[in-house]
Amino acid sequence: MPEHTLAIKGLHKRFGSVVALHDVGFEVRPGELFGFVGSNGAGKTTTMRIVLGVLTPDSGEVIFDGEPITRAVRTRIGYMPEERGLYPKMKVADQLVYLAELHGMSSADAQAATQRWLARLDLSHRRQDEVQKLSLGNQQRVQLAAALVHEPDLLVLDEPFSGLDPVAVDVMSQVLREQAAGGVSVIFSSHQLDLVERLCDRVGIIANGRMVAVGSVEELTSSAETQLEIVAPEAEPGWANDVPGVTVVEERPPRTLLKLAAGADDQAVLQAALATGPVTGFTRHRPSLAELFRSVVADETGGRVDA
Amino acid sequence: MRDEVAPLTAVRLVARRELNTRLRTRSFVLSTAVIIAVLVGYLLLQASIFTDAARTDVGLSGQASNLAGPLQVAGEQVGLDVHTSVVTDKAQGRAKLEADELDAVVYGNPAELKVLVRAELDSRLRTALTELSRQQILAGELAKAGVTDPQEVLAQAGQADVAVSTIEPAGAEHGQRLGIGLVMVFLLFMAISTYGTMVAQGVVEEKASRVVEILLATVRPWQLLLGKVIGIGAVGLAQLMIVAGVGLVMAMASGVVTLSGVAVSALVWGVVWYFVGFLLYATIFAAAGSLVSRQEDVQSVTTPVTMVLTIGFVVGLNLMLQNPNGSGVVTMSHIPLLSPVVMPGRITAGQVAGWEIAVSLVVTLATVAALTWLGGRVYHNAVLHTGSRMRVRDALRGARL
């Protein structure tokens, strides 16, 4: 199903003198869960709003199904805005039916889809309640139902996990996985990097309006510098200084923390360590997405990280 | 795969939502009931003023006691509904006057009638009594002169009347026309300002709840705006029809309004001008609403618009009370932002040539077109703007921040 690929190409957007996006581009493939991470104000919401046509870019384009996104294509997108958007005084079911119909569903289909999603998200008993009478967690579920009710081919979710309790996080994760498994392309932004790491097939990191990394979590973390933790009780301080391809991060006998340059041979490091005497620990430590995020964003912003 | 929703389908869906969510509300039922209550109260007041003004209770004493019949006849001629009763003497009559049971006590010789009242004798009753007294004298003189049937001569003389042609509607009709016209002006002002403000609130509700972002991802701004205006306009029209319909039936039933043709045509013109006026103001209200992001700020942007409408209503109403054909009313009925409130009143209460109505309608519709374009532009540019209040100039220029 290559036609369900979302391709974002060369987006530029300025707000007055502020450059919000600079040459932002990436792809979300069909059936893929794509995590979009970045600090506050990095450009995630702006990018998503442009995908939805709520904002117009200064240049660049958004392609879905091999064509620039038109209004007809947008009826196939499910959208959850960052600040939740539902009519506070409208009944849950009426609201979902209305949104489904606005997305081109027939009245009967809209009713059926509403029933289905309310049941799936465990909201059937609240169908006749006004949205404002629901708890925040339940409002969030309704919001998810609003994004899904018209059976979209692409889901664009801005911070879908923020403010959810652990149970709701599980429900949300499960629904997103199911959607991706059904061939829907899913892009969502989040500050919960552990969640993104666990859930997403691929991740894009944006900082100051520029994409600084795109790839699978595996690719991103393995391309980054790897750290080695070595426990060598008899090693003299400074033993690793001359080993090629490493820099010493920290020496705290008997532990030594080394940074391994990309492509350097960790076996050579082990040899050097064994040369000092027994080695009781040798751990290859791959950075988490959160650590990776901090390092790339720090590089980009000159050390300021506020994610 | 689904297609884009047809443009008019989107407008219809939006309008239907507005209609469904607003027509069913308790506030709609309540406000309709309150307006009807006010209108009925006004009608009852009118009805009681009419009957009170026409009825007068006269106590007859002594020789005057047998004047009951002639006095009623004389009263009819001057438009008074005279109810007579006999009082035993002047003292009893005085007591009844003080108790407000009588309006006048008549006593004395029929040729030299005397009247006792609380403070002032109604001028029509004075005319009737004077006429009666003259007739008594005249009848006596005629009899002395040898006329065999003086009453017949008097009856013949009483039938004499001048033939009157009017260039303006006759008094009673004039009053009714003015009354109907003023009620229509009031209803139009209420409907346009209430439902116009509701458009502004609806726009801000969508902005404040951010639902507008979801909507605009699939619907164009003009479709959302048009659907909203049509939907809320229809709710306002429904209320106007209910209120005016009930008012009309009540007015005819109570006898306050007897000119059914005038009243029905006033209602028809009212509906026509409601359409034009609501379209005119709704887009301005929507544009004003789109400049702010919170319900608390709605009033600050709608007040200038409501002010224009209120000035048209208050000034128009007062000028119309003085003279519905005065130059002030005529001028106002041709000013686009004021005409929807003033013109329908003028059509009912005064004289308007057909071409004047046509010109006023065309000018107002042209203004509707211009303001819809401008207002639509402001709305389009401002509706996704959040945070502080946006300036109209920025919204018109299209600087989206």
Side-chain angles (χ1 to χ4, degrees):
Chain A
M1 288 184 289
E3 72 275 10
H4 285 180
T5 300
L6 170 73
I8 293 168
K9 295 181 179 172
L11 291 186
H12 288 261
K13 178 75 185 174
R14 299 172 71 95
F15 293 119
S17 60
V18 181
V19 178
L21 298 181
H22 182 85
D23 197 22
V24 167
F26 56 88
E27 276 190 8
V28 182
R29 296 161 193 161
E32 182 173 85
L33 270 169
F34 186 91
F36 196 25
V37 299
S39 310
N40 293 325
K44 302 183 298 285
T45 298
T46 305
T47 306
M48 290 183 164
R49 284 176 156 194
I50 287 173
V51 171
L52 265 296
V54 171
L55 273 179
T56 327
D58 297 335
S59 64
E61 55 182 352
V62 181
I63 309 250
F64 188 64
D65 259 13
E67 280 173 60
I69 288 200
T70 59
R71 210 156 278 272
V73 174
R74 285 198 190 107
T75 63
R76 295 162 50 205
I77 305 180
Y79 177 41
M80 187 191 265
E82 180 185 19
E83 295 187 56
R84 307 305 175 216
L86 293 169
Y87 289 102
K89 288 180 190 163
M90 204 172 170
K91 287 175 184 168
V92 171
D94 290 352
Q95 191 132 228
L96 295 178
V97 170
Y98 175 58
L99 289 173
E101 285 185 297
L102 274 187
H103 283 85
M105 272 190 153
S106 72
S107 177
D109 289 351
Q111 298 277 0
T114 297
Q115 300 282 13
R116 198 165 58 245
W117 277 110
L118 287 180
R120 173 70 182 80
L121 295 172
D122 201 17
L123 285 168
S124 294
H125 58 296
R126 309 305 300 267
R127 61 195 312 279
Q128 290 302 325
D129 288 339
E130 288 179 1
V131 170
Q132 62 184 2
K133 294 192 179 139
L134 268 54
S135 67
L136 284 178
N138 276 339
Q139 288 190 14
Q140 193 103 321
R141 289 179 195 222
V142 179
Q143 196 79 51
L144 177 66
L148 290 164
V149 71
H150 56 285
E151 289 156 15
D153 295 326
L154 170 65
L155 274 175
V156 179
L157 313 172
D158 205 346
E159 298 284 350
F161 291 100
S162 79
L164 290 187
D165 64 48
V167 177
V169 167
D170 289 345
V171 172
M172 179 77 77
S173 307
Q174 204 186 337
V175 169
L176 296 191
R177 279 207 194 92
E178 281 169 20
Q179 289 290 308
V184 174
S185 315
V186 182
I187 171 170
F188 73 91
S189 66
S190 181
H191 288 308
Q192 283 150 279
L193 298 177
D194 53 331
L195 193 69
V196 172
E197 187 168 357
R198 215 165 57 228
L199 204 58
C200 290
D201 302 303
R202 295 202 313 137
V203 174
I205 301 177
I206 189 168
N208 281 353
R210 291 159 204 262
M211 294 305 293
V212 290
V214 180
S216 67
V217 175
E218 184 70 22
E219 282 165 10
L220 291 182
T221 51
S222 64
S223 70
E225 287 157 331
T226 307
Q227 288 189 337
L228 293 175
E229 191 185 82
I230 296 154
V231 186
E234 289 169 26
E236 297 294 319
W239 67 271
N241 287 351
D242 298 328
V243 182
V246 297
T247 40
V248 178
V249 177
E250 195 180 57
E251 271 188 310
R252 206 170 49 197
R255 276 165 215 281
T256 311
L257 195 61
L258 299 174
K259 204 195 283 185
L260 187 67
D265 184 5
D266 56 358
Q267 294 307 307
V269 181
L270 180 58
Q271 300 275 333
L274 283 168
T276 67
V279 173
T280 56
F282 185 83
T283 319
R284 199 184 163 96
H285 183 67
R286 184 169 282 182
S288 68
L289 182 63
E291 285 163 326
L292 175 76
F293 175 81
R294 284 199 187 89
S295 77
V296 293
V297 171
D299 289 349
E300 186 65 29
T301 57
R304 189 179 53 81
V305 181
D306 56 4
Chain B
M1 197 206 286
R2 265 169 279 112
D3 291 327
E4 178 183 359
V5 183
L8 291 182
T9 309
V11 172
R12 185 177 57 80
L13 286 170
V14 174
R16 196 186 62 189
R17 193 200 83 85
E18 297 292 344
L19 206 60
N20 282 344
T21 52
R22 291 174 200 281
L23 217 48
R24 288 194 217 140
T25 57
R26 200 180 301 157
S27 65
F28 176 79
V29 178
L30 270 179
S31 67
T32 310
V34 167
I35 299 176
I36 289 180
V38 168
L39 201 62
V40 167
Y42 172 75
L43 281 172
L44 291 178
L45 190 70
Q46 286 289 316
S48 72
I49 288 172
F50 279 168
T51 47
D52 274 4
R55 182 188 166 116
T56 184
D57 289 282
V58 179
L60 303 174
S61 165
Q63 285 188 45
S65 301
N66 48 20
L67 285 178
L71 183 57
Q72 276 163 14
V73 175
E76 257 170 51
Q77 285 175 344
V78 293
L80 265 186
D81 184 13
V82 181
H83 291 247
T84 56
S85 56
V86 174
V87 289
T88 51
D89 53 23
K90 201 177 148 194
Q92 191 200 8
R94 189 188 173 93
K96 286 197 170 182
L97 275 177
E98 278 167 352
D100 209 8
E101 288 170 35
L102 291 176
D103 295 307
V105 176
V106 178
Y107 58 96
N109 184 331
E112 273 176 83
L113 288 175
K114 294 191 172 64
V115 186
L116 180 68
V117 290
R118 271 189 300 278
E120 205 175 350
L121 178 61
D122 182 287
S123 64
R124 285 173 297 178
L125 188 57
R126 177 192 289 272
T127 311
L129 289 169
T130 312
E131 178 65 16
L132 203 60
S133 197
R134 278 184 192 147
Q135 280 181 11
Q136 295 298 325
I137 298 167
L138 210 54
E141 293 301 319
L142 284 172
K144 275 189 214 161
V147 176
T148 48
D149 194 352
Q151 289 304 329
E152 196 184 332
V153 177
L154 285 173
Q156 233 173 340
Q159 275 166 10
D161 197 4
V162 285
V164 180
S165 320
T166 57
I167 53 168
E168 286 189 13
E173 192 181 337
H174 174 78
Q176 280 194 29
R177 279 173 173 271
L178 189 61
I180 299 168
L182 295 184
V183 168
M184 209 62 236
V185 167
F186 170 74
L187 289 180
L188 280 172
F189 165 73
M190 286 293 291
I192 295 175
S193 59
T194 307
Y195 288 91
T197 309
M198 208 176 268
V199 171
Q201 282 165 346
V203 167
V204 178
E205 181 194 18
E206 283 171 358
K207 276 192 81 173
S209 68
R210 307 300 174 109
V211 79
V212 70
E213 271 193 46
I214 297 185
L215 299 176
L216 289 187
T218 170
V219 180
R220 290 179 170 81
W222 71 263
Q223 295 170 330
L224 187 56
L225 180 57
L226 185 60
K228 188 170 279 298
V229 168
I230 292 176
I232 295 179
V235 179
L237 181 64
Q239 189 170 58
L240 182 70
M241 300 279 268
I242 293 171
V243 169
V246 170
L248 194 65
V249 171
M250 291 288 294
M252 306 256 246
S254 66
V256 172
V257 168
T258 50
L259 303 169
S260 54
V262 173
V264 170
S265 97
L267 182 56
V268 172
W269 278 118
V271 169
V272 168
W273 282 97
Y274 170 76
F275 270 114
V276 181
F278 184 77
L279 279 179
L280 184 66
Y281 276 93
T283 333
I284 308 177
F285 273 115
S290 69
L291 295 173
V292 297
S293 312
R294 297 180 308 161
Q295 289 291 356
E296 304 93 277
D297 299 332
V298 178
Q299 219 188 347
S300 69
V301 284
T302 55
T303 303
V305 189
T306 320
M307 280 295 267
V308 174
L309 197 57
T310 310
I311 288 170
F313 169 65
V314 173
V315 176
L317 197 76
N318 280 303
L319 289 178
M320 221 174 279
L321 270 172
Q322 289 166 23
N323 179 9
N325 294 313
S327 59
V329 178
V330 172
T331 310
M332 287 180 80
S333 70
H334 286 287
I335 297 174
L337 285 171
L338 310 179
S339 55
V341 175
V342 179
M343 188 51 120
R346 195 186 150 207
I347 292 174
T348 308
Q351 275 106 47
V352 194
W355 66 265
E356 275 194 275
I357 302 176
V359 166
S360 180
L361 268 177
V362 168
V363 170
T364 311
L365 281 171
T367 316
V368 168
L371 285 176
T372 302
W373 184 80
L374 278 175
R377 193 177 159 83
V378 169
Y379 176 81
H380 182 269
N381 290 325
V383 74
L384 287 171
H385 171 89
T386 51
S388 61
R389 177 177 166 177
M390 202 175 180
R391 287 185 305 175
V392 181
R393 210 161 34 136
D394 292 339
L396 276 174
R397 249 202 334 248
R400 254 195 216 167
L401 273 170

